[in-house]
């Protein structure tokens, strides 16, 4: 595939051939000179001046000039470092928290405008002098507060970083007439439930009964439902399942407790055919985009994501996503009542078809977690993650490792299916090793174990995200899974890609990285067109994301900086998008990295930058200046350079 202005392909690659070289291609130096000049003047462009291919670049770094003359020999260690490409994760990213602001943090009783005095009194470590707090508070980041303009009241009061829009002359928090109640975000963690989880006072009799039956051997039929609460100490399976003798009457241990009207809910169990059906065939499914995010993974692998968060899902719902799923949550952290893990289960009212994804390696924790979620949150389905490739999950037996642990995998699926009243789905990869496919063997078993739907990512664990997804193998798996619906996933970045995927016979497509590069992809698929979206429209999308982020994470310093870091992580993917109007041929492929090019305006060029400092500049357009000593590194080393 040649460039329109030249037939010599010695300096081209598949990524280079997607742009019209005569008008937009440029060099790395000219690209950043243009951005540093803030778009005041365009440097002269030479259509011949394109970056050399990777092989030539490596030779130059080895100590040769373009004329072939040898330079001074470098040290062997420096040569190896120059040849080594940036790959993998930035596992030691600095966690910059605005501690300088926490030193003068206002007492929550004053922020919430509580009528009662502070519970801790003189022992409280927070400030109680509002005047002193306002003197030390950093300047506002903007003239208007999103929460105040949207709902008529900002719950963060004087701590809001846009407080000038809703503070009175004496520092009181103003309330606008015609107050609009904020839509409730469902699936939050109740404080009482959190205390019970931390003290291990929650009893899972239904899960324990299912596990006891599975330990004796998988039963084909459903098990009678056990009560959700019970007395501790009944660990013997036989004692739990044995019926009580009718003539045996034990002495009363205390006053008789009334538990409300008698219903048949505790004795009548839903049969599998009576479970709620999951009919999403033909719908667009936004993948649970799970990667270790900016506020997680510093000491352990939290599942707080960089991109699959609730504000991002709201953006995708606005552009036409039909089905959404929460980020991967680890079942052990949920059972411990960790607030950060339960935050991954939150559901916005606009998410009409919503599920949560669980990760775990053992039947007991997964089954108990499924019973817990079945009692406490509102979801339409629960998904099991059998596709996570990261080492921290794989080495503990979770994620892709379950594909090689069939006994545990079967117990997990059967146990969770017995305690759930909603459909159970599974997401998996083709296999663990690159040339050893396992999915076609597992799909009939998953159908028999009770899975309602399976999503297959067309890559193995060894491939991660390299090479192309194997849609021919997905087509083979459709027949193996029938009549259970199978969704396909991998390399969908245009409506043509989605159409080709549907021709394989899958029930629907799941979109992951394509939504990160362009969230309007759902609109393109539904309207069967390419959208040449302008830079101003893309900036409006980012502005809406920041508004949703401030609603979700808060408008105080902590909420603003959390929104900023999630925005920066998303920008590390958005910079790979090439506008439709600049392409020589359509569509753009997801595995192509574009060369340096100058956009049709300064903002479009800025959004194409792969430099983290330029992403920070975009965030300052939306969220104001960054704090002092602010540092940002993306999750993946190859996503940006300093």
């Amino acid at each position: 595939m040649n460039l329109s202005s030249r037939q010599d392909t010695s300096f081209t690659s598949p990524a280079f051939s997607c742009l019209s070289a005569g008008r937009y291609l440029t060099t790395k130096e000219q690209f950043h000179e243009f951005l540093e000049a803030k778009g005041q003047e365009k440097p002269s462009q030479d259509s011949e001046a394109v970056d050399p291919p990777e092989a030539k670049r490596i030779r130059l770094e080895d100590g040769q000039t373009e004329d072939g003359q040898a330079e001074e020999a470098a040290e062997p260690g420096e040569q190896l470092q120059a040849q080594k490409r940036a790959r993998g994760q930035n596992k030691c990213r600095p966690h910059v928290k605005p501690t300088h602001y926490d030193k003068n943090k206002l007492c929550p009783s004053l922020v919430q405008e509580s009528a009662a005095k502070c519970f801790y009194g003189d022992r409280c470590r927070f400030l109680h002098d509002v005047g002193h707090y306002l003197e030390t508070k950093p300047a506002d980041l903007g003239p208007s507060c999103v929460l105040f303009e949207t709902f008529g009241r900002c719950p963060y009061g004087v701590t809001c970083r846009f407080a000038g829009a809703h503070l009175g002359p004496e520092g009181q928090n103003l309330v606008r007439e015609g107050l609009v109640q904020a839509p409730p975000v469902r699936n939050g963690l109740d404080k009482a439930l959190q205390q019970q989880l931390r003290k291990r006072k929650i009893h899972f009799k239904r899960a324990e009964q299912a596990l006891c039956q599975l330990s004796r051997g998988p039963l084909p039929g459903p098990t009678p439902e056990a009560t959700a609460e019970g007395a501790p100490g009944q660990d013997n399976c036989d004692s739990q399942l044995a019926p009580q003798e009718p003539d045996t009457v034990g002495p009363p241990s205390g006053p008789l407790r009334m538990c409300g009207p008698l219903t048949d809910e505790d004795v009548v169990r839903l049969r599998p055919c009576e479970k709620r059906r999951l009919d999403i065939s033909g719908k667009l499914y936004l993948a649970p985009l799970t990667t270790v995010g900016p506020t997680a993974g510093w000491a352990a692998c939290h599942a707080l994501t960089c991109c699959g968060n609730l504000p991002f899902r709201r953006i995708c719902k606005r552009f036409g996503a039909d089905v959404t799923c929460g980020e991967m949550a680890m079942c052990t952290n949920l059972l411990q009542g960790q607030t950060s893990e339960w935050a991954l289960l939150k559901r916005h009212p606009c998410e009409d078809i919503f599920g949560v994804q669980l990760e775990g390696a053992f039947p007991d924790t997964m089954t108990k977690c499924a019973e817990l979620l079945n009692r406490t949150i509102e979801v339409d389905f629960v998904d099991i993650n059998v596709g996570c490739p990261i080492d921290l999950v794989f080495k503990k037996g979770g994620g892709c490792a379950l594909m090689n642990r069939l006994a545990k995998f079967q117990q997990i699926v059967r146990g969770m299916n017995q305690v759930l009243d909603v459909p159970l789905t599974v997401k998996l990869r083709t296999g663990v090793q690159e040339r050893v496919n396992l999915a076609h063997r597992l799909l009939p078993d998953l159908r028999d174990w009770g899975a309602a739907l399976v999503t297959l990512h067309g890559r193995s664990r060894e491939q991660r995200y390299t090479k192309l997804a194997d849609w021919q193998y997905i087509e083979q798996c459709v027949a193996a899974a029938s009549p259970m619906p199978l969704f396909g996933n991998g390399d969908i970045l245009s409506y043509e890609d989605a159409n080709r995927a549907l021709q394989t016979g899958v029930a629907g497509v799941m979109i992951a990285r394509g939504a990160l590069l362009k969230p309007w992809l759902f609109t393109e698929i539904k309207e069967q067109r390419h959208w040449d979206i302008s830079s101003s429209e893309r900036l409006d999308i980012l502005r809406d994301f920041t508004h949703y982020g401030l609603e979700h994470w808060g408008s105080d310093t902590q909420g603003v900086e959390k929104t900023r870091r999630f925005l920066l992580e998303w920008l590390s993917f958005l910079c790979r998008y090439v506008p439709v109007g600049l392409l020589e041929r359509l569509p753009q492929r997801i595995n192509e990295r574009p060369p340096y090019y100058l956009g049709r305006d300064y903002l479009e060029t800025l959004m194409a930058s792969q430099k983290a400092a330029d992403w920070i500049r975009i965030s300052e357009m939306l969220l104001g200046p960054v704090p002092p000593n602010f540092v940002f590194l993306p999750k993946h080393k190859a996503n940006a350079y300093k």
Side-chain angles (χ1 to χ4, degrees):
M1 193 176 303
N2 299 332
L3 293 171
S4 60
S5 62
R6 56 187 296 161
Q7 297 298 322
D8 181 16
T9 59
S10 59
F11 292 104
T12 62
S13 66
F16 278 64
S17 62
C18 65
L19 285 168
S20 183
R23 294 184 56 191
Y24 303 110
L25 278 179
T26 184
T27 63
K28 175 180 176 180
E29 292 75 16
Q30 288 179 336
F31 179 86
H32 291 292
E33 284 177 8
F34 175 68
L35 290 181
E36 290 174 1
K38 298 188 181 297
Q40 296 300 321
E41 57 181 5
K42 279 197 174 184
S44 60
Q45 299 184 39
D46 184 4
S47 61
E48 301 292 327
V50 296
D51 278 346
E54 190 67 27
K56 182 175 181 180
R57 189 179 300 115
I58 292 177
R59 287 198 299 269
L60 295 181
E61 289 174 352
D62 283 344
Q64 291 183 351
T65 63
E66 292 191 21
D67 299 329
Q69 301 294 329
E71 295 180 349
E72 295 182 5
E75 294 294 331
E78 296 179 0
Q79 293 182 5
L80 293 175
Q81 189 173 4
Q83 294 182 24
K84 188 176 180 181
R85 296 180 59 186
R87 298 181 62 184
Q89 299 180 8
N90 286 313
K91 297 182 179 180
C92 298
R93 292 186 296 168
H95 187 191
V96 180
K97 185 179 179 181
T99 53
H100 64 282
Y101 189 38
D102 293 341
K103 295 178 181 178
N104 297 319
K105 193 172 183 179
L106 197 62
C107 180
S109 63
L110 297 177
V111 177
Q112 300 169 4
E113 298 179 348
S114 176
K117 293 184 178 180
C118 177
F119 176 78
Y120 296 96
D122 297 336
R123 296 180 292 112
C124 182
R125 62 187 179 92
F126 299 117
L127 286 177
H128 290 79
D129 187 351
V130 178
H132 176 65
Y133 172 80
L134 291 175
E135 291 177 0
T136 58
K137 179 187 174 184
D140 284 354
L141 298 175
S144 60
C145 175
V146 176
L147 299 179
F148 181 73
E149 291 182 355
T150 306
F151 307 114
R153 178 182 179 275
C154 178
Y156 295 91
V158 294
T159 63
C160 175
R161 293 305 305 273
F162 311 89
H166 52 78
L167 285 186
E170 298 180 358
Q172 70 274 20
N173 196 22
L174 302 179
V175 178
R176 191 173 57 190
E177 295 183 1
L179 181 66
V180 179
Q181 184 67 29
V185 176
R186 291 173 283 181
N187 300 346
L189 176 60
D190 182 70
K191 286 294 182 183
L193 176 62
Q194 186 180 38
Q195 290 295 327
Q196 288 181 317
L197 289 172
R198 289 178 174 177
K199 296 180 180 180
R200 298 185 179 181
K201 291 187 176 181
I202 301 291
H203 305 292
F204 305 96
K205 294 192 67 176
R206 185 173 171 181
E208 290 171 356
Q209 184 177 11
L211 292 169
C212 288
Q213 292 179 346
L214 290 173
S215 64
R216 298 171 180 174
L219 299 180
T223 60
E225 179 174 349
T227 56
E229 298 179 0
Q234 297 180 349
D235 294 332
N236 189 354
C237 299
D238 296 331
S239 64
Q240 289 184 14
L241 299 178
Q244 186 178 0
E245 295 294 335
D247 298 335
T248 303
V249 179
S253 58
L256 189 63
R257 295 181 59 187
M258 307 299 293
C259 58
L262 179 65
T263 66
D264 58 359
E265 181 180 1
D266 296 333
V267 294
V268 177
R269 170 78 189 278
L270 286 177
R271 293 180 297 173
C273 61
E274 296 174 334
K275 270 192 175 184
R276 191 188 313 168
R277 299 289 182 111
L278 183 64
D279 186 13
I280 60 174
S281 296
K283 297 185 181 296
L284 297 179
Y285 188 170
L286 174 65
L289 301 165
T290 305
T291 50
V292 182
T295 58
W298 305 108
C301 182
H302 266 300
L304 193 59
T305 71
C306 71
C307 297
N309 45 69
L310 186 143
F312 178 77
R313 299 199 303 267
R314 290 181 64 182
I315 293 290
C316 293
K317 283 294 295 182
R318 199 183 73 187
F319 282 110
D322 298 314
V323 184
T324 56
C325 185
E327 306 95 318
M328 180 187 76
M330 294 188 174
C331 63
T332 51
N333 295 342
L334 293 174
L335 292 173
Q336 293 170 3
Q338 293 187 12
T339 305
S340 60
E341 208 73 21
W342 277 80
L344 307 177
L345 311 179
K346 290 186 177 180
R347 174 182 187 176
H348 193 267
C350 71
E351 298 180 276
D352 48 351
I353 305 178
F354 175 77
V356 295
Q357 187 181 72
L358 297 181
E359 184 279 325
F362 301 101
D364 56 344
T365 53
M366 289 288 281
T367 306
K368 290 178 181 179
C369 187
E371 180 184 353
L372 176 65
L373 300 186
N374 193 63
R375 291 171 3 200
T376 55
I377 66 174
E378 300 178 19
V379 293
D380 298 298
F381 63 92
V382 175
D383 187 69
I384 304 176
N385 186 307
V386 196
C388 183
I390 64 174
D391 295 338
L392 191 59
V393 173
F394 182 81
K395 291 180 179 179
K396 292 182 179 180
C400 284
L402 285 175
M403 301 183 72
N404 287 330
R405 303 170 68 224
L406 292 185
K408 297 295 183 184
F409 192 13
Q410 178 182 6
Q411 291 180 347
I412 288 174
V413 176
R414 287 187 179 273
M416 293 180 67
N417 194 41
Q418 289 185 27
V419 300
L420 285 173
D421 296 331
V422 295
L424 180 69
T425 65
V426 179
K427 184 176 186 293
L428 71 162
R429 287 178 176 250
T430 59
V432 177
Q433 297 177 346
E434 184 174 352
R435 292 182 176 85
V436 184
N437 292 329
L438 301 174
H440 64 284
R441 303 177 186 174
L442 292 174
L443 288 172
D445 293 334
L446 288 171
R447 179 188 59 212
D448 298 336
W449 297 343
L453 180 143
V454 172
T455 302
L456 179 59
H457 182 186
R459 291 183 178 88
S460 64
R461 188 243 176 191
E462 201 173 60
Q463 287 178 265
R464 300 290 178 102
Y465 294 94
T466 60
K467 301 185 179 180
L468 296 177
D470 191 351
W471 279 94
Q472 291 183 351
Y473 179 67
I474 294 178
E475 185 175 5
Q476 298 174 14
C477 291
V478 171
S482 181
M484 179 181 64
L486 180 73
F487 268 55
N489 170 233
D491 298 343
I492 297 177
L493 191 59
S494 65
Y495 74 89
E496 292 99 331
D497 296 335
N499 293 343
R500 281 192 295 269
L502 292 174
Q503 291 174 1
T504 61
V506 293
V509 292
M510 173 183 281
I511 300 175
R513 288 184 300 163
L516 295 177
L517 270 64
K518 52 177 190 179
W520 55 92
L521 173 60
F522 302 98
T523 301
E524 292 187 351
I525 295 176
K526 290 189 173 181
E527 298 181 1
Q528 293 290 292
R529 67 182 178 93
H530 292 290
W531 186 354
D532 188 11
I533 189 169
S534 65
S535 59
S536 59
E537 290 176 309
R538 293 164 64 190
L539 186 65
D540 289 339
I541 295 173
L542 297 177
R543 183 176 289 107
D544 291 339
F545 175 83
T546 58
H547 290 176
Y548 296 156
L550 294 175
E551 287 182 27
H552 185 59
W553 292 301
S555 59
D556 57 350
T557 297
Q558 183 179 358
V560 169
E561 295 311 312
K562 187 176 290 187
T563 302
R564 188 191 306 276
R565 291 195 172 267
F566 279 104
L567 174 64
L568 291 172
E569 292 284 356
W570 186 21
L571 286 171
S572 70
F573 289 91
L574 282 174
C575 66
R576 303 182 195 176
Y577 169 72
V578 181
V580 171
L582 276 62
L583 290 173
E584 181 186 46
R585 56 111 178 116
L586 296 173
Q588 178 187 358
R589 304 297 183 188
I590 200 169
N591 63 319
E592 294 177 348
R593 286 297 183 99
Y596 288 95
Y597 66 91
L598 297 181
R600 292 165 290 189
D601 54 46
Y602 172 72
L603 183 58
E604 193 168 74
T605 307
L606 182 64
M607 290 181 172
S609 175
Q610 300 177 20
K611 198 173 182 180
D614 293 325
W615 305 340
I616 295 176
R617 194 187 310 178
I618 295 175
S619 75
E620 291 181 327
M621 296 179 184
L622 305 169
L623 293 170
V626 297
N629 303 322
F630 181 83
V631 178
F632 172 75
L633 284 176
K635 175 182 179 286
H636 296 283
K637 294 179 181 178
N639 276 19
Y641 60 92
K642 297 180 182 179

